[in-house]
Coordinates of all heavy atoms in Angstrom, one line a residue:
M56 N 8.7 -1.3 -14.4 CA 10.0 -0.7 -14.5 C 10.9 -1.7 -15.3 O 11.8 -1.2 -16.2 CB 10.6 -0.7 -13.1 CG 9.9 0.4 -12.3 SD 10.3 0.3 -10.6 CE 12.0 0.6 -10.6
A57 N 10.8 -3.0 -15.2 CA 11.5 -4.0 -16.0 C 11.4 -3.9 -17.5 O 12.2 -3.8 -18.3 CB 11.3 -5.4 -15.5
M58 N 9.9 -3.8 -17.8 CA 9.6 -3.7 -19.3 C 10.2 -2.4 -19.8 O 10.7 -2.3 -21.0 CB 8.1 -3.8 -19.5 CG 7.5 -5.1 -19.0 SD 5.7 -5.2 -19.3 CE 5.8 -5.3 -21.1
S59 N 10.0 -1.1 -19.0 CA 10.5 0.0 -19.6 C 12.0 0.0 -19.7 O 12.6 0.7 -20.7 CB 10.1 1.1 -18.6 OG 8.6 1.2 -18.6
K60 N 12.7 -0.6 -18.8 CA 14.2 -0.7 -18.8 C 14.6 -1.4 -20.1 O 15.5 -1.0 -20.7 CB 14.7 -1.3 -17.6 CG 16.3 -1.4 -17.5 CD 16.7 -2.4 -16.5 CE 16.3 -3.8 -16.8 NZ 16.9 -4.8 -15.7
N61 N 14.0 -2.6 -20.3 CA 14.5 -3.4 -21.4 C 14.0 -2.7 -22.7 O 14.8 -2.9 -23.7 CB 13.8 -4.8 -21.3 CG 14.2 -5.6 -20.2 OD1 15.5 -5.6 -19.9 ND2 13.4 -6.3 -19.5
L62 N 13.0 -2.0 -22.8 CA 12.6 -1.3 -24.0 C 13.5 -0.1 -24.3 O 14.0 0.0 -25.4 CB 11.2 -0.7 -23.8 CG 10.5 0.0 -25.0 CD1 10.6 -1.0 -26.3 CD2 9.3 0.6 -24.7
A63 N 13.9 0.6 -23.3 CA 14.9 1.7 -23.3 C 16.2 1.3 -23.7 O 17.0 1.9 -24.6 CB 14.9 2.6 -22.0
R64 N 16.7 0.1 -23.1 CA 18.1 -0.3 -23.3 C 18.3 -1.2 -24.5 O 19.3 -1.2 -25.2 CB 18.6 -1.0 -22.0 CG 19.1 0.0 -20.9 CD 19.6 -0.9 -19.7 NE 20.1 0.0 -18.7 CZ 20.5 -0.4 -17.5 NH1 20.6 -1.7 -17.3 NH2 21.1 0.4 -16.6
Y65 N 17.3 -2.1 -24.7 CA 17.5 -3.2 -25.8 C 16.5 -3.2 -26.9 O 16.6 -4.0 -27.7 CB 17.6 -4.6 -25.0 CG 18.4 -4.5 -23.9 CD1 17.9 -4.6 -22.5 CD2 19.8 -4.6 -23.9 CE1 18.8 -4.7 -21.4 CE2 20.7 -4.6 -22.8 CZ 20.1 -4.7 -21.6 OH 21.0 -4.8 -20.4
G66 N 15.5 -2.3 -26.7 CA 14.5 -2.4 -27.7 C 13.5 -3.5 -27.6 O 12.8 -3.9 -28.6
V67 N 13.4 -4.1 -26.5 CA 12.7 -5.3 -26.2 C 11.5 -5.0 -25.2 O 12.0 -4.6 -24.1 CB 13.3 -6.6 -25.8 CG1 12.4 -7.6 -25.6 CG2 14.4 -6.9 -26.9
C68 N 10.2 -5.0 -25.5 CA 9.2 -4.7 -24.5 C 8.9 -6.1 -23.8 O 7.9 -6.7 -24.2 CB 8.0 -4.1 -25.3 SG 6.7 -3.5 -24.1
G69 N 9.6 -6.4 -22.8 CA 9.4 -7.6 -22.1 C 9.9 -7.5 -20.8 O 10.8 -6.5 -20.4
V70 N 9.5 -8.4 -19.8 CA 10.1 -8.4 -18.5 C 11.6 -8.9 -18.3 O 12.3 -8.6 -17.4 CB 9.3 -9.3 -17.5 CG1 7.8 -8.7 -17.4 CG2 9.1 -10.7 -18.2
T71 N 12.0 -9.4 -19.5 CA 13.4 -9.8 -19.7 C 13.8 -9.2 -21.0 O 13.0 -8.9 -21.9 CB 13.7 -11.2 -19.7 OG1 13.3 -11.9 -20.8 CG2 13.1 -12.0 -18.5
R72 N 15.1 -9.1 -21.2 CA 15.5 -8.5 -22.4 C 15.6 -9.5 -23.6 O 16.1 -9.1 -24.7 CB 17.0 -7.8 -22.2 CG 18.0 -8.9 -21.8 CD 19.4 -8.1 -21.8 NE 20.5 -9.2 -21.4 CZ 21.7 -8.7 -21.3 NH1 22.1 -7.6 -21.7 NH2 22.5 -9.6 -20.8
Y73 N 15.3 -10.7 -23.3 CA 15.4 -11.8 -24.3 C 14.2 -12.0 -25.1 O 14.3 -12.6 -26.2 CB 15.9 -13.1 -23.6 CG 17.1 -12.8 -22.8 CD1 17.1 -12.8 -21.4 CD2 18.4 -12.7 -23.5 CE1 18.3 -12.6 -20.7 CE2 19.5 -12.5 -22.8 CZ 19.5 -12.5 -21.3 OH 20.6 -12.4 -20.6
E74 N 13.0 -11.6 -24.7 CA 11.8 -11.9 -25.5 C 10.7 -10.9 -25.0 O 10.6 -10.4 -23.9 CB 11.3 -13.4 -25.3 CG 10.9 -13.8 -23.9 CD 10.4 -15.1 -23.8 OE1 10.2 -15.7 -24.8 OE2 10.2 -15.6 -22.7
F75 N 9.8 -10.7 -26.0 CA 8.7 -9.8 -25.9 C 7.7 -10.5 -24.9 O 7.5 -11.8 -24.9 CB 8.0 -9.6 -27.2 CG 6.7 -8.9 -27.1 CD1 6.6 -7.5 -27.2 CD2 5.5 -9.6 -27.0 CE1 5.5 -6.8 -27.1 CE2 4.3 -8.9 -27.0 CZ 4.2 -7.5 -27.0
S76 N 6.9 -9.8 -24.1 CA 5.8 -10.3 -23.3 C 4.8 -9.3 -23.2 O 5.1 -8.1 -23.0 CB 6.4 -10.7 -21.8 OG 6.9 -9.6 -21.2
A77 N 3.5 -9.6 -23.2 CA 2.4 -8.9 -23.2 C 2.0 -8.7 -21.7 O 0.8 -9.2 -21.2 CB 1.2 -9.3 -24.0
S78 N 2.8 -8.1 -21.0 CA 2.7 -8.1 -19.4 C 2.1 -6.7 -19.0 O 1.8 -6.6 -17.6 CB 3.9 -8.4 -18.7 OG 4.5 -9.7 -19.2
S79 N 2.0 -5.8 -19.7 CA 1.6 -4.4 -19.3 C 0.2 -4.1 -19.8 O -0.1 -4.3 -21.0 CB 2.6 -3.4 -19.8 OG 2.1 -2.1 -19.5
S80 N -0.7 -3.7 -18.9 CA -2.0 -3.3 -19.4 C -2.1 -1.8 -19.6 O -3.1 -1.1 -19.8 CB -3.1 -3.7 -18.3 OG -2.7 -3.2 -17.0
S81 N -0.9 -1.1 -19.5 CA -0.8 0.3 -19.6 C 0.3 0.6 -20.6 O 1.4 1.1 -20.1 CB -0.7 1.0 -18.3 OG -0.6 2.5 -18.4
P82 N 0.1 0.6 -21.9 CA 1.1 0.8 -22.8 C 1.7 2.2 -22.8 O 3.0 2.5 -22.9 CB 0.5 0.6 -24.2 CG -0.7 -0.4 -23.9 CD -1.1 0.1 -22.5
L83 N 0.9 3.2 -22.5 CA 1.2 4.6 -22.4 C 2.4 4.8 -21.2 O 3.3 5.4 -21.5 CB 0.2 5.6 -22.4 CG 0.5 7.0 -22.4 CD1 1.4 7.5 -23.6 CD2 -0.7 7.9 -22.2
W84 N 1.9 4.3 -20.1 CA 2.8 4.4 -19.0 C 4.2 3.8 -19.2 O 5.2 4.3 -18.9 CB 2.2 3.8 -17.7 CG 3.1 4.0 -16.5 CD1 3.8 3.0 -15.9 CD2 3.4 5.0 -15.7 NE1 4.4 3.4 -14.8 CE2 4.2 4.8 -14.6 CE3 2.9 6.4 -15.7 CZ2 4.7 5.7 -13.7 CZ3 3.2 7.4 -14.8 CH2 4.2 7.0 -13.8
T85 N 4.2 2.6 -19.8 CA 5.4 1.9 -20.1 C 6.2 2.7 -21.1 O 7.4 2.8 -20.9 CB 5.0 0.6 -20.7 OG1 4.2 -0.3 -19.9 CG2 6.3 -0.3 -21.0
L86 N 5.6 3.2 -22.0 CA 6.3 4.0 -23.0 C 6.9 5.4 -22.4 O 8.1 5.7 -22.7 CB 5.5 4.4 -24.2 CG 5.2 3.3 -25.3 CD1 4.2 3.8 -26.2 CD2 6.4 2.8 -25.9
L87 N 6.2 5.9 -21.5 CA 6.6 7.2 -20.9 C 7.7 6.9 -20.0 O 8.9 7.8 -20.0 CB 5.5 7.8 -20.1 CG 4.3 8.5 -20.9 CD1 3.3 9.0 -19.9 CD2 4.9 9.8 -21.7
L88 N 7.7 5.8 -19.2 CA 8.8 5.4 -18.3 C 10.1 5.0 -19.1 O 11.2 5.4 -18.7 CB 8.4 4.3 -17.4 CG 9.3 3.8 -16.3 CD1 9.8 5.1 -15.5 CD2 8.6 2.8 -15.4

Side-chain angles (χ1 to χ4, degrees):
M56 291 168 64
M58 295 185 69
S59 298
K60 178 193 71 175
N61 292 323
L62 182 59
R64 284 183 172 176
Y65 311 108
V67 177
C68 188
V70 291
T71 72
R72 61 177 176 170
Y73 303 107
E74 63 178 351
F75 174 89
S76 63
S78 303
S79 173
S80 60
S81 183
L83 182 57
W84 178 258
T85 304
L86 287 173
L87 288 175
L88 185 55

